[in-house]
Amino acid sequence: MNFVDLKRQRDKIEPKLRSRLDRVLAHGKFILGPEVSELEQALCATTGVKHCIGVANGTDALQIALRALGIGPGDAVFVPAFTFVATAEAASQIGATPVFVDVRHDTFNICSESLEAAVEQVRRTPLTPSAVIAVDLFGLTADYAAIEAVAKKESLRIIEDGAQSLGASANGKMACSFGDIATTSFFPAKPLGCYGDGGAVFTDDDELAELMRSLRVHGKGSSKYDNERVGLNSRLDTIQAAVLLAKLSVFEEEIDRRDEIANFYSGELAASVTTPTIPPGHRSAWAQYTVKVPAALRNRLADELRGADIPTAVYYPKPLNEQSVYADSEIAAHCPVSRALCREVLSIPVHPYLTTADTHHIVDALKSSLASLSD
Ligand SMILES: *Cc1c(COP(=O)(O)O)cnc(C)c1O
C-alpha cells in the first residue's frame, strides 16, 4: 500500500494529461504560457477569490505574500509551532522574525489566545508585531474569526497558508479565500499536486495582486526590462499548469472520496484513538488523516502497521521552536501543546485511490495492533 498513490491517479487521467502536455509541446510557450492563466482563472472560480497568481512553489508563495505586505527586518511574523518548516522559513528569508505560537489540541491549528499572548510578549521588545501566518493544517481551515479578532485589535496582517487545504471550506467559504493573502502549494503530495514544484497566491486586493505579479518576475514594472523592485524568479511552469488542469478535472471527486474515507475512519476508530476534530460547518481537504495515540505507544504502533503493509507518517516530529535553526530565537516560545502533539500524532493513508479493502484493512490492523500493544 502507498501513503500517497499518484500512479492510480495517473492511470485515471492519462488521456487528459497527455493531450494537455502535447498541447504545451506544440505551442512551446514554456514560461507563463496560456495554461498558467487558464489554471489561475479556474482556481479563482473554485475558490471565489478575485486574483490567483501561479508561482514556483508554496514557500515562494509565502515569501511573495509577506513581501507584498511590506514585511521585512524588524517585523515579527507569528507562525504556529506545529507546521512544516516552510511557514517560518519564508519569514526568515526576508529578514523578518518568526515568532512561534502554540496550537489548539483539538484542531491542531493556531490558538488565538496563544497568539494574543505572543503579541504582548513581542510588544516588550524592539520588534513590531506585523503579521500572522495561519496554517490550515492537514486540510482543515484555521479559526479565522478568532484570528481576525486578534489581528484587528493588534493591527496584524493575515496570511492564510493553504498549502494543505485547497478544496476545503468553512461555512461555504473556500480555503485560500481567507486573510489579506492566501497561499498554496502544488508539491506532488498535496491535495492538488503537480509533477514537480508549484504554488500560488490568492487575494481580492487589486494592488496586492499587481505587486505579487511583479514580484514573481524579477520585480518587473510595465515590461520585463523595466525593474521597479527586487523580485524573484518564481513563475509556475506552463508544463506544471497543464498537469494541474488535467488533475482539476478529478479534484472535486477526489476531495469527496477523501472525505468519505475520513468519515469511515472516524466512525470506526473513535473508540480506540483520538480522531480528528472537524468543527461544525467545516469540510477538510484531508491532506492528512491524523490520529492521536498515547506517546508511549505511537512508534510501536507505526512499526506494527508497517508490518501489516500500512505506511504511516509522523507530521511533525518536532515543534519548529525546538528545531536547531530556531532554537536560540530572540523570542522564547511557550508551546506545550505542539510539543505533546509531536509525540502523539500518527497520520494514516487517506489518498482518494484507496480501495474499500484497503480502508477496512487499515482500521482492522490499527484496532488489533492497539489492542495488543495496550495489553
Ligand atoms: C508544503 C507546505 C509548504 C511549502 O510548500 P512547497 O511547495 O513545498 O514550497 C508551506 N506550508 C505548509 C503548511 C506546507 O505543508
Side-chain angles (χ1 to χ4, degrees):
M1 198 185 299
N2 292 311
F3 194 71
V4 175
D5 199 331
L6 295 176
K7 186 178 177 310
R8 286 194 221 175
Q9 182 195 50
R10 197 191 63 214
D11 290 346
K12 180 162 180 182
I13 61 169
E14 184 127 21
K16 278 200 181 77
L17 194 57
R18 291 204 181 269
S19 78
R20 279 285 182 184
L21 291 174
D22 282 346
R23 232 179 294 171
V24 177
L25 294 180
H27 68 54
K29 297 190 179 81
F30 300 117
I31 299 293
L32 297 183
E35 284 76 10
V36 176
S37 40
E38 185 182 345
L39 176 75
E40 290 169 345
Q41 281 162 24
L43 292 176
C44 285
T46 57
T47 57
V49 181
K50 189 168 174 195
H51 304 280
C52 168
I53 300 156
V55 299
N57 57 70
T59 312
D60 277 8
L62 287 166
Q63 188 191 146
I64 289 170
L66 286 164
R67 289 174 63 163
L69 293 172
I71 311 291
D75 288 316
V77 176
F78 300 90
V79 300
F82 189 62
T83 176
F84 181 59
V85 68
T87 312
E89 183 183 33
S92 302
Q93 282 170 341
I94 56 159
T97 303
V99 174
F100 298 100
V101 176
D102 211 358
V103 297
R104 295 170 54 110
H105 69 89
D106 52 359
T107 62
F108 310 153
N109 281 329
I110 196 165
C111 165
S112 53
E113 286 85 23
S114 303
L115 172 62
E116 182 93 66
V119 173
E120 294 313 314
Q121 200 183 351
V122 167
R123 292 224 183 272
R124 298 192 291 271
T125 75
L127 293 173
T128 308
S130 299
V132 51
I133 306 179
V135 176
D136 300 335
L137 203 72
F138 304 150
L140 176 70
T141 54
D143 183 353
Y144 288 96
I147 295 162
E148 277 160 21
V150 178
K152 193 162 177 218
K153 179 164 163 246
E154 305 287 357
S155 305
L156 303 176
R157 306 304 293 267
I158 301 174
I159 295 172
E160 175 190 8
D161 180 347
Q164 304 181 6
S165 64
L166 195 66
S169 63
N171 301 308
K173 192 167 157 58
M174 298 302 286
C176 295
S177 73
F178 294 93
D180 296 289
I181 299 174
T183 66
T184 198
S185 164
F186 304 124
F187 182 83
K190 309 284 179 176
L192 182 65
C194 59
Y195 288 159
D197 280 304
V201 293
F202 298 82
T203 188
D204 283 327
D205 185 303
D206 297 344
E207 275 173 41
L208 288 175
E210 199 184 312
L211 248 172
M212 293 194 288
R213 281 202 183 89
S214 163
L215 286 168
R216 85 168 160 180
V217 187
H218 306 288
K220 76 177 173 75
S222 51
S223 88
K224 191 168 156 186
Y225 299 108
D226 168 27
N227 308 107
E228 296 185 342
R229 56 187 62 82
V230 176
L232 291 82
N233 174 1
S234 186
R235 296 162 296 220
L236 176 68
D237 286 341
T238 307
I239 292 232
Q240 299 302 347
V243 169
L244 290 165
L245 283 164
K247 290 202 185 188
L248 259 189
S249 67
V250 292
F251 185 56
E252 258 185 54
E253 54 182 287
E254 287 182 348
I255 297 283
D256 287 345
R257 176 65 184 143
R258 285 175 190 264
D259 203 39
E260 184 180 39
I261 295 167
N263 288 329
F264 171 70
Y265 287 165
S266 292
E268 293 287 325
L269 298 175
S272 315
V273 298
T274 308
T275 54
T277 299
I278 304 298
H282 288 240
R283 193 173 147 83
S284 179
W286 297 111
Q288 304 299 341
Y289 185 92
T290 304
V291 301
K292 280 196 283 181
V293 297
L297 301 183
R298 198 264 310 270
N299 293 350
R300 284 192 284 156
L301 176 62
D303 289 343
E304 291 276 321
L305 292 174
R306 191 176 314 118
D309 186 35
I310 298 168
T312 61
V314 173
Y315 298 120
Y316 296 91
K318 206 189 246 193
L320 293 186
N321 55 300
E322 293 180 23
Q323 293 286 356
S324 51
V325 56
Y326 291 122
D328 49 352
S329 172
E330 51 206 288
I331 310 283
H334 179 64
C335 302
V337 176
S338 301
R339 165 178 272 210
L341 287 176
C342 289
R343 304 173 63 218
E344 294 168 347
V345 288
L346 190 67
S347 302
I348 60 177
V350 71
H351 71 76
Y353 298 92
L354 291 168
T355 63
T356 306
D358 292 334
T359 58
H360 283 260
H361 176 53
I362 289 168
V363 299
D364 292 345
L366 206 153
K367 282 194 267 196
S368 63
S369 302
L370 259 183
S372 69
L373 287 173
S374 310
D375 278 345

